Amino acid sequence: MTQQEALFKYILRLGDNALIHSHRLSEWCSNAPFLEEDLALTNLALDMIGRAQALLQYAGNVEGKGRTEDTLAYRRSERQYYNNLLVELPNTDFAYTIARLLFISAFEKEYYAALQKSADSTLAAIAAKTLKEIKYHFAHAHDWTIRLGMGTEESHQRIQNAVNDWWMYTSELFEMDETDDQLVKDGMVPDLKALYPAWLQTITDTLKAASLNMPVTGYMQTGSRKGIHTEHLGHLLSEMQYLQRAYPDAEW
Amino acid sequence: MDQVQDIISNDHALLSKFEEHVQAGEAVEPRDWMPEAYRKHLIRQISQHAHSEVIGMQPEGNWITRAPSLRAKQILLAKIQDEGGHGLYLYSAAETLGITRTEMIEQLHTGKAKYSNIFNYPSLTWADIGAIGWLVDGAAIVNQVSLQRTSYAPYSRAMVRICKEESFHQRQGYEIMAKMMKGTAEQREMAQDAMNRWWWPSLMMFGPHDSDSPHAADAFRWKIKRHTNDELRQKFIDKTVPQAELIGLTVPDPHLKWNDAKGGYDHGEINWEEFKQVINGNGPCNKQRLQHHKQVHDNGAWVREAAEAYKARTNNQSSN
């Protein structure tokens, strides 16, 4: 694999994570528990669409075959998507949405801080901008985890269930394949394994502050690095890509 | 007996002072004395306006996950977020009149409070997102620009803020339509179809002819309203028809004709029977919109309760 090929595949992963997570968050529009939260969740979705746009555009440039951010978002099939499984899971309920946001934003907080030091100046610049947004995403997830954990018996149980159920998707965030190995060596991207202790500490502290238990670590889910997903991604894409696929000659 | 008379004559004095104040074009602030009927009229109107912003998020939200480009998705999401924000300012403006948001939502759910009829129509294709932005927001702007000078100050201030954002919304809707009209045959067909379905309901947004408008007299006397429904509708038509022509859309009204003498368009008769039916709950989406709002509200109850419980707990801790 050339560096260019590795970089292309790697940036797709970053872009896909932002795009698919934003899609799930945008599904809360006119569905949130109250109006202010509706606006907050769609605000996060907006940040992530912006990030996906920047990353996929850059991926298209790196690839050099004339694919735009829209061709990459709307014309790839499920096996060509590289987002982590966690972001594609259905929202389920508010507690699951918050648990996911907590896991992801705690990871991205470390990740984008490290990516700012990338030898690739475009990635470093995207990272710097993204980091500012992530701090807000993390604060939102952190505060809600505590509110739900310390709120009512029902909310406590719901957030605990969510954290437990989705724990098995968290180790994938830190998985590294040959793409990572090559780019880490060149100083282009962070070593994900090195981010794990800080992430685990953040999650441990947050759950403790919310009087929630740490989930028991069992068998962990994997697959997305190879483009193997849950059944949910196909449905998400068929909805998202519908117009582009149905009218391939149209511009919107 | 004397006491009762005192109260009555005092009320009369206050009322005439209030009416003089309003007639002079002065604004009314929340702490000023106001007749009960004025307060009620405003609560009804502002809460209806707030509910419209919020219910309006549904037909547009229907297309977020299917928006055809990342840019289109971003713009649509930002627009819907603005609408939600407008809902918030308006709920706050209504709260200054002594009603809570919880009460307003309850009135929405029981059917006592209404929202704009237009949102009882479905958004069927992507072109509907263009038509809603261009025609529906376009009609709303005409009405809201006029309300910027409404007598109740918090309402008027909310309108000033809202108008700034709405003109951007209208442009984005028009941009969608213009792009589709320059596109493939299928896209042009989709755009014209959306125009055909949204034109008449948009005209109905201005309400019945003034002669049939039940609350008009008070609203004018108190300067809540400054232009008649028909005046505003005319303004909208005159502004929109040339925009349609510019991008090659046909206005679905065979009687539409420029009238030199009045300097505006004459138009065909609105189907007031349809208007009445939709207002009375028989539109294509009345049940769906309301049911959705109730269901989301019910599903979110445990979250709101958790937030309240947590707030109570932290308040207790800080006071101990």
Side-chain angles (χ1 to χ4, degrees):
Chain A
M1 194 171 10
T2 65
Q3 193 193 54
Q4 183 198 18
E5 283 163 351
L7 191 59
F8 171 64
K9 203 174 158 198
Y10 190 93
I11 305 168
L12 278 186
R13 187 202 295 171
L14 299 183
D16 292 350
N17 273 311
L19 179 62
I20 303 301
H21 199 183
S22 87
H23 186 100
R24 287 302 185 206
L25 285 165
S26 75
E27 289 173 343
W28 279 103
C29 181
S30 83
N31 285 303
F34 52 97
L35 193 48
E36 285 83 349
E37 190 56 26
D38 209 296
L39 303 185
L41 292 175
T42 46
N43 219 3
L44 306 185
L46 269 175
D47 285 347
M48 291 178 199
I49 299 176
R51 194 200 319 167
Q53 228 173 352
L55 286 163
L56 292 178
Q57 188 184 58
Y58 184 43
N61 291 347
V62 168
E63 188 193 34
K65 291 181 182 164
R67 289 206 274 182
T68 66
E69 63 270 33
D70 284 334
T71 356
L72 286 169
Y74 290 92
R75 303 290 173 94
R76 273 181 302 145
S77 301
E78 41 276 60
R79 292 283 281 108
Q80 294 150 354
Y81 260 80
Y82 296 105
N83 58 277
N84 293 306
L85 303 180
L86 182 55
V87 296
E88 74 202 35
L89 300 172
N91 288 332
T92 315
D93 72 6
F94 186 70
Y96 280 82
T97 298
I98 291 300
R100 164 164 56 205
L101 187 65
L102 178 70
F103 292 153
I104 301 277
S105 62
F107 166 75
E108 289 182 336
K109 188 162 70 82
E110 305 302 328
Y111 177 80
Y112 281 103
L115 189 67
Q116 286 185 107
K117 300 179 198 111
S118 171
D120 182 299
S121 61
T122 308
L123 282 184
I126 293 174
K129 180 171 183 290
T130 301
L131 192 60
K132 288 185 200 130
E133 297 166 355
I134 302 280
K135 283 184 179 157
Y136 170 73
H137 302 180
F138 173 72
H140 195 73
H142 172 269
D143 293 356
W144 267 116
T145 304
I146 291 174
R147 251 177 246 138
L148 297 179
M150 310 274 284
T152 62
E153 214 170 294
E154 181 183 3
S155 68
H156 178 88
Q157 199 52 55
R158 281 178 182 256
I159 187 75
Q160 183 71 63
N161 291 347
V163 165
N164 293 349
D165 282 356
W166 281 0
W167 186 251
M168 63 158 88
Y169 294 98
T170 53
S171 81
E172 206 192 25
L173 304 175
F174 301 94
E175 263 179 32
M176 295 175 69
D177 62 11
E178 64 282 2
T179 323
D180 292 78
D181 295 339
Q182 186 173 339
L183 296 172
V184 169
K185 203 170 67 208
D186 300 337
M188 309 278 275
V189 304
D191 180 340
L192 298 179
K193 297 263 183 303
L195 307 176
Y196 184 72
W199 176 82
L200 189 64
Q201 192 60 52
T202 306
I203 299 298
T204 310
D205 292 347
T206 307
L207 296 186
K208 194 173 165 205
S211 75
L212 293 166
N213 295 323
M214 275 301 276
V216 180
T217 300
Y219 189 73
M220 290 291 191
Q221 297 299 313
T222 178
S224 73
R225 297 288 186 266
K226 295 187 170 66
I228 298 171
H229 289 271
T230 65
E231 288 179 348
H232 305 294
L233 184 67
H235 292 285
L236 185 156
L237 293 181
S238 51
E239 188 174 340
M240 184 175 97
Q241 297 177 337
Y242 144 69
L243 279 170
Q244 288 263 354
R245 299 279 199 184
Y247 305 98
D249 302 326
E251 277 180 45
W252 303 92
Chain B
M1 186 66 196
D2 277 357
Q3 244 179 341
V4 174
Q5 225 150 29
D6 276 355
I7 293 170
I8 292 172
S9 59
N10 190 30
D11 271 4
H12 273 303
L14 285 167
L15 181 62
S16 46
K17 205 176 138 203
F18 172 84
E19 297 206 332
E20 256 171 52
H21 182 79
V22 167
Q23 282 309 317
E26 304 276 341
V28 179
E29 290 290 347
R31 282 173 194 199
D32 296 344
W33 184 89
M34 62 187 84
E36 205 41 38
Y38 178 83
R39 183 188 301 277
K40 278 200 179 129
H41 186 108
L42 278 165
I43 288 180
R44 190 178 52 75
Q45 182 169 341
I46 302 175
S47 71
Q48 171 170 343
H49 198 160
H51 295 322
S52 301
E53 298 281 359
V54 172
I55 297 290
M57 294 166 78
Q58 290 181 37
E60 297 192 289
N62 183 35
W63 279 91
I64 288 177
T65 56
R66 291 176 292 171
S69 72
L70 296 179
R71 179 174 177 271
K73 195 196 281 273
Q74 209 171 21
I75 293 174
L76 178 61
L77 197 52
K79 172 182 191 283
I80 301 174
Q81 223 188 8
D82 285 349
E83 313 289 9
H86 299 170
L88 281 180
Y89 318 149
L90 288 162
Y91 282 129
S92 304
E95 280 177 330
T96 63
L97 293 158
I99 185 167
T100 65
R101 206 204 300 183
T102 312
E103 288 167 329
M104 287 185 263
I105 290 177
E106 215 175 270
Q107 291 183 350
L108 173 69
H109 290 175
T110 59
K112 191 182 170 209
K114 302 271 187 226
Y115 56 87
S116 176
N117 235 6
I118 193 80
F119 300 121
N120 291 319
Y121 291 87
S123 65
L124 300 178
T125 73
W126 175 250
D128 290 34
I129 295 304
I132 291 174
W134 172 43
L135 298 175
V136 175
D137 288 16
I141 292 172
V142 171
N143 194 26
Q144 287 166 350
V145 163
S146 155
L147 283 170
Q148 286 180 339
R149 291 175 52 236
T150 191
S151 59
Y152 189 56
Y155 193 26
S156 135
R157 284 192 285 265
M159 283 303 114
V160 171
R161 257 177 101 172
I162 288 174
C163 280
K164 282 188 194 143
E165 291 176 351
E166 291 290 358
S167 60
F168 154 76
H169 296 171
Q170 203 214 354
R171 278 203 299 277
Q172 71 85 29
Y174 189 61
E175 187 196 283
I176 290 176
M177 293 303 252
K179 233 175 181 170
M180 290 182 76
M181 288 307 286
K182 277 193 213 142
T184 64
E186 281 162 319
Q187 283 176 300
R188 288 197 296 277
E189 200 179 308
M190 221 185 264
Q192 183 62 54
D193 169 61
M195 174 83 190
N196 295 348
R197 285 181 289 108
W198 288 93
W199 174 254
W200 290 104
S202 299
L203 297 191
M204 293 179 201
M205 282 175 72
F206 297 95
H209 290 310
D210 302 297
S211 47
D212 304 326
S213 185
H215 305 285
D218 283 349
F220 279 109
R221 191 155 45 91
W222 292 329
K223 295 205 188 288
I224 295 173
K225 216 173 143 102
R226 289 172 169 271
H227 298 96
T228 70
N229 293 349
D230 290 326
E231 278 167 7
L232 294 171
R233 186 165 20 240
Q234 185 67 48
K235 212 173 207 174
F236 170 72
I237 294 171
D238 293 345
K239 167 181 98 149
T240 310
V241 171
Q243 294 172 351
E245 285 169 353
L246 188 67
I247 56 175
L249 282 167
T250 307
V251 178
D253 177 357
H255 301 289
L256 190 82
K257 217 176 94 196
W258 179 256
N259 180 334
D260 243 346
K262 80 169 182 187
Y265 287 90
D266 289 332
H267 62 90
E269 194 46 63
I270 290 168
N271 182 347
W272 293 113
E273 179 53 26
E274 177 181 322
F275 176 75
K276 215 169 71 194
Q277 288 297 334
V278 180
I279 279 205
N280 290 329
N282 300 322
C285 299
N286 296 57
K287 289 195 177 65
Q288 181 189 334
R289 300 287 185 242
L290 206 54
Q291 207 168 18
H292 180 86
H293 195 278
K294 276 187 206 162
Q295 195 188 336
V296 165
H297 191 73
D298 291 349
N299 288 346
W302 71 270
V303 179
R304 296 191 301 275
E305 282 158 19
E308 287 297 319
Y310 177 71
K311 201 164 120 193
R313 181 192 288 236
T314 45
N315 283 349
N316 275 345
Q317 271 169 1
S318 57
S319 61
N320 281 343

